[in-house]
Amino acid sequence: MLIDCPPNIGVFSINALMASEGVIIPVDMSYLGLLGISAIERALELIRSALDHLFK
């Protein structure tokens, strides 16, 4: 199943990440797109540590 989320880290996105087993993050190669990768990595780490969820 593929869950498409908005490009923000809100309640919907957190619930979708908790329901998932893996994550695919499409990113354009612009400067702002590359900056967004670090924000997504921080959000995933927060979900891993605070909510005890593992992704593939």
Side-chain angles (χ1 to χ4, degrees):
M1 177 186 300
L2 181 64
I3 303 171
D4 186 18
C5 296
N8 62 0
I9 304 298
V11 175
F12 179 74
S13 297
I14 291 173
N15 286 336
L17 288 170
M18 288 299 295
S20 66
E21 294 179 3
V23 178
I24 299 173
I25 304 168
V27 178
D28 65 346
M29 297 308 290
S30 68
Y31 178 72
L32 293 177
L34 296 175
L35 286 178
I37 292 174
S38 63
I40 293 294
E41 287 178 340
R42 285 193 307 267
L44 292 175
E45 186 59 37
L46 180 65
I47 291 171
R48 280 186 192 112
S49 63
L51 301 176
D52 195 32
H53 186 69
L54 298 176
F55 301 103
K56 293 181 182 176

